[in-house]
């Protein structure tokens, strides 16, 4: 049975145009509201950039139909990629290489991730000297320590390397070299300095990533162990071994928890005997072998409770050694270069509680080597100085854990043992984060759960 074909329906096309809106060249057809179908507007996006052939002219000769040679024919690389915003032109000998690079550069530029390899070809030494170091600012003593790390441990080994040649393999060899001279803590500080330099290069669009943040190579872990506090007997023994004019420094460190620079910079005007409080307003710090006054670490002042025993020691010291007015520059002893720096660094005078024999501010290096460590040796904390050295150098046995900072740990341990809160201790020590105080001194807290256990025992006894 055959199937009949449907009768075709003729399609009529109207040539009558709809009325126009407006007049003149900008007139356009009015939409037929009854039958108009909305049509999406498709925009074409064209990536910027093109390839220029520098050997042949762009347009062919009208007569021969061939592209003629330019004056640069055979004298330079043939293909040049141009026209990508924010991307420098780059030349290639092979057309395919130019196309590949253009496509990748267009993609990276669109994402904001483009890094020109030529910008990373600068040596680490030149990048630091020209681009990174001139932009560094902050506390002068901190800047000095950073400069020492760069000069001693980074530039001698990596300074000649191009930025983009410093990868994980180079860092592994560098780390191995550092381990011959430095301990884990020092290596971590040097590593952090290099990482900040390379991160700046990433943000300057000279590197695509920071190799110091690789998952396969990194600084050594922090040295294990925890802070140990001196027993009271040792504190008293070292105090007795110190010369009379310096004994108050030990009392201030152990009784108030002040840092060494803060103890050296304490003024008679900072002591409020009536309210039983000490105002920690400044420190004495050393910048490029010169002394100056500055705000305490973290640039924050604080108040510390004044125990009566410490108040008596301060009064007794002031009777024997009257406070001495000492004038030093503020914050930075280097000559100022601008009126703003001159105003900020203007010398200031304070009546210091403890001064040296010349009635001057105490240099911490002198104090540590000629006052503190001899007292430690007399008290039996460290070995006596070996006098057999022929070059006259004073080389004490390593005793970092027995530095002046040990008095601060003693203060923290005593306060926590007495039941003071971690929040209060953090405020007195000048810690911005009580969590840091807890992590550092949690083992000094009284036995966890002891009071709770006693309460339970009282119920079921």
């Amino acid at each position: 049975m055959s199937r009949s074909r449907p009768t075709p329906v003729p399609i009529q096309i109207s040539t009558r145009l709809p009325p126009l809106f407006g007049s003149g060249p900008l007139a356009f057809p009015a939409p037929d509201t009854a039958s108009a179908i909305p049509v999406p507007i498709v925009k074409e996006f064209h990536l910027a950039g093109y390839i220029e052939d520098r050997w042949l002219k762009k347009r062919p000769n009208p007569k021969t139909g061939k592209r003629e040679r330019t004056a640069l024919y055979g004298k330079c690389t043939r293909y040049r990629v141009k026209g990508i915003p924010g991307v420098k032109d780059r030349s290639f000998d092979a057309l395919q290489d130019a196309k590949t690079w253009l496509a990748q550069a267009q993609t990276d530029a669109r994402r904001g991730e483009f890094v020109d390899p030529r910008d990373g070809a600068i040596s680490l030494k030149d990048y630091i000297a020209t681009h990174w170091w001139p932009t560094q600012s902050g506390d002068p003593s901190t800047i000095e320590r950073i400069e020492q790390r760069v000069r001693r441990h980074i530039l001698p080994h990596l300074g000649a390397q191009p930025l983009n040649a410093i990868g994980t393999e180079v860092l592994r060899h560098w780390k191995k070299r550092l381990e011959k001279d430095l301990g884990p803590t020092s290596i971590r500080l040097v590593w952090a300095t290099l990482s900040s330099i390379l991160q700046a290069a990433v943000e300057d669009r000279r590197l695509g990533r920071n190799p110091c943040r690789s998952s396969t190579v990194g600084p050594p872990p922090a040295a294990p162990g925890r802070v140990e506090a001196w027993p009271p007997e040792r504190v008293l023994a070292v105090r007795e071994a110190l010369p009379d004019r310096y004994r108050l420094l030990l009392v201030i460190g152990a009784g108030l928890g002040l840092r060494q620079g803060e103890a050296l910079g304490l003024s008679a005007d900072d002591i409020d005997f009536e309210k039983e409080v000490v105002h920690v307003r400044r420190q004495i710090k050393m910048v490029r072998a010169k002394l100056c006054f500055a705000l305490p670490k973290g640039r924050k002042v604080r108040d510390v409770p004044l125990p009566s025993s410490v108040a008596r020691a301060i009064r007794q010291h002031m009777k024997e050694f009257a406070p001495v007015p000492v004038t030093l520059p503020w914050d930075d002893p280097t000559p100022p270069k601008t009126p703003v720096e001159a105003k900020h660094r203007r010398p200031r005078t304070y009546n210091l509680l403890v001064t040296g024999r010349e009635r001057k501010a105490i240099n911490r290096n002198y104090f540590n080597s000629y006052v503190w460590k001899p007292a430690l040796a007399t008290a039996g904390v460290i070995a006596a100085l070996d006098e057999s050295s022929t070059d006259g150098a004073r080389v004490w046995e390593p005793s970092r854990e027995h530095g002046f900072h040990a008095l601060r740990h003693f203060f923290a341990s005593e306060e926590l043992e007495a039941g003071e809160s971690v929040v209060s201790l953090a405020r007195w020590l000048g810690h911005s984060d009580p969590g840091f105080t807890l992590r550092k001194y949690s083992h000094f807290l009284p036995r966890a759960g002891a009071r709770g256990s006693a309460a339970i025992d009282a119920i079921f006894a």
Side-chain angles (χ1 to χ4, degrees):
M1 179 177 179
S2 63
R3 182 177 298 177
S4 61
R5 293 178 178 271
T7 305
V9 178
I11 299 176
Q12 297 180 351
I13 300 176
S14 175
T15 58
R16 182 173 59 85
L17 296 176
L20 300 181
F21 279 144
S23 60
L26 296 182
F28 56 92
D32 184 352
T33 56
S35 60
I37 299 176
V39 178
I41 299 176
V42 180
K43 296 182 179 180
E44 291 189 18
F45 292 93
H46 297 281
L47 294 175
Y50 60 93
I51 299 175
E52 176 189 41
D53 187 342
R54 298 197 287 176
W55 286 12
L56 298 178
K57 293 182 180 180
K58 184 176 181 180
R59 300 183 181 279
N61 187 307
K63 297 181 180 179
T64 63
K66 297 181 179 180
R67 297 169 60 190
E68 297 180 345
R69 296 180 177 180
T70 66
L72 297 176
Y73 185 87
K75 299 179 180 179
C76 61
T77 49
R78 181 168 181 176
Y79 301 102
R80 180 165 60 185
V81 179
K82 303 180 63 176
I84 305 177
V87 178
K88 293 187 293 187
D89 299 349
R90 184 166 182 180
S91 300
F92 298 87
D93 290 316
L95 179 60
Q96 186 56 47
D97 292 341
K99 290 180 178 179
T100 302
W101 190 86
L102 172 61
Q104 185 63 49
Q106 288 173 331
T107 302
D108 291 345
R110 187 173 66 253
R111 295 173 178 171
E113 300 174 353
F114 178 79
V115 176
D116 194 322
R118 291 167 295 181
D119 293 335
I122 184 175
S123 69
L124 178 63
K125 178 181 179 180
D126 290 342
Y127 176 74
I128 291 175
T130 307
H131 302 281
W132 185 77
W133 184 252
T135 63
Q136 297 305 296
S137 61
D139 182 79
S141 57
T142 301
I143 294 296
E144 181 182 10
R145 289 192 292 270
I146 292 174
E147 185 269 337
Q148 290 173 351
R149 294 173 202 147
V150 171
R151 175 169 46 85
R152 295 175 181 176
H153 305 297
I154 295 178
L155 291 183
H157 310 295
L158 302 176
Q161 293 276 0
L163 286 178
N164 52 20
I166 301 176
T168 54
E169 181 179 3
V170 172
L171 292 181
R172 282 195 293 269
H173 288 288
W174 177 61
K175 176 184 174 182
K176 189 70 174 179
R177 177 65 181 82
L178 291 181
E179 289 173 345
K180 297 179 180 179
D181 303 321
L182 302 176
T185 301
S186 297
I187 293 177
R188 290 175 67 86
L189 291 173
V190 175
W191 191 282
T193 300
L194 177 64
S195 181
S196 68
I197 295 172
L198 297 182
Q199 185 59 32
V202 171
E203 296 172 4
D204 290 345
R205 300 290 181 87
R206 293 179 180 272
L207 289 177
R209 64 180 186 87
N210 183 352
C212 284
R213 299 183 178 181
S214 169
S215 60
T216 61
V217 62
R226 60 183 186 177
V227 171
E228 297 294 339
W230 281 5
E233 298 77 17
R234 179 176 294 172
V235 174
L236 297 176
V238 175
R239 184 187 65 173
E240 293 303 314
L242 285 168
D244 291 346
R245 71 179 310 114
Y246 299 114
R247 285 181 180 174
L248 182 63
L249 291 175
L250 181 140
V251 176
I252 291 172
L256 301 177
L258 270 60
R259 301 177 178 93
Q260 185 178 43
E262 296 167 348
L264 297 176
L266 195 63
S267 165
D269 301 324
D270 300 326
I271 313 299
D272 191 331
F273 292 102
E274 182 178 348
K275 295 183 178 180
E276 297 182 336
V277 67
V278 174
H279 306 293
V280 185
R281 297 163 169 162
R282 78 195 66 81
Q283 64 170 319
I284 290 179
K285 67 179 182 179
M286 182 179 296
V287 179
R288 301 192 182 280
K290 295 182 179 180
L291 301 181
C292 65
F293 291 122
L295 287 172
K297 185 178 180 180
R299 309 189 74 81
K300 295 186 302 182
V301 300
R302 66 186 188 277
D303 292 341
V304 179
L306 176 62
S308 58
S309 59
V310 177
R312 288 195 301 270
I314 294 175
R315 284 195 174 101
Q316 181 63 33
H317 177 86
M318 292 174 65
K319 290 180 181 179
E320 298 180 22
F321 307 95
V324 178
V326 174
T327 303
L328 291 174
W330 182 260
D331 204 39
D332 192 343
T334 57
K337 298 180 180 179
T338 66
V340 174
E341 290 181 349
K343 182 179 180 180
H344 177 71
R345 302 176 188 177
R346 183 178 66 251
R348 306 185 188 186
T349 302
Y350 298 101
N351 296 315
L352 299 186
L353 284 175
V354 185
T355 56
R357 289 174 299 179
E358 297 82 9
R359 296 172 58 83
K360 297 180 180 179
I362 298 175
N363 183 310
R364 70 166 186 264
N365 291 338
Y366 169 84
F367 176 83
N368 292 339
S369 183
Y370 290 90
V371 178
W372 183 254
K373 289 187 177 181
L376 295 180
T378 301
V381 179
I382 63 174
L385 181 67
D386 184 4
E387 302 289 352
S388 62
S389 176
T390 57
D391 58 1
R394 296 175 60 87
V395 181
W396 296 89
E397 70 171 71
S399 55
R400 183 180 180 87
E401 69 277 15
H402 298 307
F404 191 89
H405 214 72
L407 302 177
R408 189 169 161 88
H409 301 327
F410 172 81
F411 171 81
S413 68
E414 292 298 313
E415 294 295 328
L416 291 176
E417 285 285 349
E420 294 291 351
S421 70
V422 172
V423 174
S424 296
L425 178 62
R427 184 170 65 252
W428 298 335
L429 292 175
H431 292 166
S432 59
D433 178 18
F436 171 80
T437 310
L438 180 61
R439 291 190 296 272
K440 193 175 185 68
Y441 297 119
S442 61
H443 57 286
F444 291 147
L445 290 169
R447 185 169 64 91
R451 285 177 292 183
S453 298
I456 297 297
D457 290 339
I459 295 175
F460 293 103

